[in-house]
Amino acid sequence: MRKVKYLVASTLDGFIARPDGSVDWLIMDGTDYRMGEFFKSIDAVLLGRKTYEFALRHSSKPEGKDKSKGVEGDTSPDSGMKNYVFSSTMKNAPDDGLEIISENAGEFVRNLKSETGKDIWLMGGGELAKSLLAENVVDEISLNVHPILLGAGLPLFPETGKQIDLELTECKSHKNGCVQVTYRVKH
Amino acid sequence: MRKVKYLVASTLDGFIARPDGSVDWLIMDGTDYRMGEFFKSIDAVLLGRKTYEFALRHSSKPEGKDKSKGVEGDTSPDSGMKNYVFSSTMKNAPDDGLEIISENAGEFVRNLKSETGKDIWLMGGGELAKSLLAENVVDEISLNVHPILLGAGLPLFPETGKQIDLELTECKSHKNGCVQVTYRVKH
């Protein structure tokens, strides 16, 4: 069965962005986070609406980035990646590579996992992660913890009220001070 | 100058205890967290009132623990360790090894750091850590991150609204799934 992987950069105090959504604190210094390897393992992306809008703004930057290694990766329709945006307010998908899921997120993801395909990236944000963690459809959590306390921001793990046991499968520190940790969710 | 070290066990979702204060999720399996080495480096402990009361209940357990290696360590007056409890409601210190600090926590700790002595353990809880981080008197943050999401609890880093830059100085994973990370606070 396809795995759902919540892979995201975070601060040590558990934020994925500043209160206004900005991620200027991300360290993009060429350190090999092995994102290329990760992107080869997936063919679908799950995003909340705000994360989708952020990714859209970010990917349209004229200067561009090496998307094969960026945290965001190349998840555009051109890449063959299927994007699922979870939103109760968006009505029309702006392009073919995008599908809007407006209800029953857990059930949708459960069905998606049972289909044939590669693994599935839960890109975020925290609210979608909260919902899917509560629905017990997330299989892996992989954080790139940045050496900073923001003091406020958008939470990586909004409170679910539910205990989830994990198994550490990988831990690697980088010269730039980031710590990558990966956990298997014990279902 | 003496350093203030915020050393604490936490969950991956940034809690130091369940909502009721319990820490039954702590892994005390004999893994060498090198706490003995840490306790040799300190001679003073900073605690919030609730953390003090918890430590008091815990240390009075009849079955006892190997305190030289326990997360709490031997911070009793007998050990020669000086304990400072920060509280606006406690009036009388119940024993000689204890001093109650009822106001100006930041100023008190700044003065303490300038005195002669070993380093100082900021044991917690989160509210005291928040206050001392905001006052810029914390020099080191050391977490033993446990492989669990509690979904709710007492936060490790209550929001300060203040950005604090860190330098990763150590990262070590243990067989039991805990990840120890230590950071220097960039003042």
Side-chain angles (χ1 to χ4, degrees):
Chain A
M1 190 182 285
R2 304 163 85 184
K3 282 190 284 190
V4 172
K5 301 171 173 177
Y6 183 28
L7 177 140
V8 68
S10 80
T11 66
L12 186 66
D13 53 349
F15 296 113
I16 53 175
R18 292 188 193 274
D20 67 359
S22 62
V23 289
D24 55 294
W25 47 271
L26 281 178
I27 304 175
M28 307 287 274
D29 60 359
T31 297
D32 184 10
Y33 297 132
R34 297 196 322 221
M35 292 302 289
E37 194 179 306
F38 174 75
F39 282 111
K40 279 183 198 158
S41 78
I42 61 160
D43 62 5
V45 187
L46 314 178
L47 311 87
R49 180 184 54 80
K50 289 178 199 165
T51 303
Y52 166 70
E53 289 171 354
F54 174 82
L56 206 64
R57 282 198 305 277
H58 188 80
S59 63
S60 64
K61 277 187 181 173
E63 66 271 23
K65 276 187 184 294
D66 177 359
K67 291 184 174 181
S68 67
K69 287 193 174 182
V71 170
E72 293 75 27
D74 184 2
T75 61
S76 66
D78 296 343
S79 69
M81 200 77 75
K82 186 78 184 171
N83 285 248
Y84 300 94
V85 178
F86 293 75
S87 169
S88 55
T89 57
M90 283 172 74
K91 296 301 171 200
N92 300 309
D95 63 53
D96 289 345
L98 195 71
E99 191 171 323
I100 296 170
I101 314 303
S102 56
E103 53 189 11
N104 300 328
E107 191 184 334
F108 175 83
V109 175
R110 247 186 301 275
N111 288 335
L112 193 64
K113 287 172 70 172
S114 69
E115 291 175 9
T116 307
K118 295 184 180 182
D119 287 340
I120 299 161
W121 180 23
L122 169 54
M123 189 179 181
E127 286 302 325
L128 178 60
K130 169 185 172 173
S131 159
L132 298 183
L133 282 166
E135 289 275 356
N136 203 27
V137 292
V138 179
D139 302 288
E140 194 175 284
I141 296 172
S142 192
L143 308 180
N144 190 21
V145 183
H146 280 55
I148 189 170
L149 305 177
L150 282 185
L154 308 183
L156 167 67
F157 293 117
E159 296 197 4
T160 58
K162 182 187 169 189
Q163 176 174 327
I164 295 173
D165 295 321
L166 305 171
E167 179 190 352
L168 179 72
T169 56
E170 195 172 10
C171 172
K172 182 173 167 55
S173 63
H174 294 285
K175 281 186 182 170
N176 62 15
C178 290
V179 175
Q180 276 184 295
V181 282
T182 301
Y183 298 86
R184 182 180 71 77
V185 174
K186 294 182 179 176
H187 292 300
Chain B
M1 190 181 284
R2 303 164 85 184
K3 283 190 284 188
V4 172
K5 302 171 174 177
Y6 183 28
L7 177 141
V8 67
S10 80
T11 67
L12 186 65
D13 53 348
F15 296 112
I16 53 176
R18 293 189 192 274
D20 66 359
S22 62
V23 290
D24 55 295
W25 47 271
L26 282 178
I27 303 175
M28 307 288 273
D29 61 358
T31 296
D32 183 10
Y33 298 132
R34 297 195 322 221
M35 292 301 289
E37 194 178 307
F38 174 76
F39 283 110
K40 279 182 198 160
S41 78
I42 61 161
D43 62 4
V45 187
L46 314 177
L47 311 88
R49 179 185 54 81
K50 289 178 198 165
T51 303
Y52 165 69
E53 288 171 354
F54 173 82
L56 206 63
R57 282 199 305 275
H58 188 80
S59 65
S60 64
K61 277 187 180 173
E63 65 271 24
K65 278 187 184 291
D66 178 359
K67 290 183 176 183
S68 67
K69 288 194 176 182
V71 170
E72 292 75 28
D74 184 5
T75 61
S76 66
D78 296 343
S79 68
M81 200 76 75
K82 186 78 184 171
N83 286 248
Y84 301 95
V85 178
F86 294 74
S87 168
S88 56
T89 56
M90 284 173 74
K91 298 300 172 202
N92 300 309
D95 63 55
D96 289 344
L98 193 71
E99 191 172 322
I100 295 170
I101 314 302
S102 56
E103 53 188 13
N104 301 327
E107 190 184 333
F108 175 83
V109 175
R110 246 185 302 276
N111 289 335
L112 193 63
K113 286 171 70 172
S114 69
E115 292 175 7
T116 306
K118 295 185 182 182
D119 288 338
I120 299 160
W121 179 23
L122 169 53
M123 189 178 180
E127 287 302 324
L128 179 60
K130 169 184 173 174
S131 158
L132 297 183
L133 282 165
E135 290 274 357
N136 202 28
V137 293
V138 179
D139 302 287
E140 194 174 284
I141 296 172
S142 193
L143 308 180
N144 190 21
V145 183
H146 281 54
I148 189 170
L149 304 178
L150 281 186
L154 308 183
L156 168 67
F157 293 118
E159 297 198 3
T160 58
K162 183 187 171 190
Q163 176 174 328
I164 294 173
D165 295 320
L166 305 171
E167 179 190 352
L168 180 72
T169 56
E170 194 172 11
C171 173
K172 184 173 167 53
S173 63
H174 294 286
K175 280 186 183 169
N176 61 16
C178 290
V179 174
Q180 276 184 295
V181 282
T182 302
Y183 298 87
R184 182 180 70 79
V185 175
K186 294 181 178 178
H187 291 300

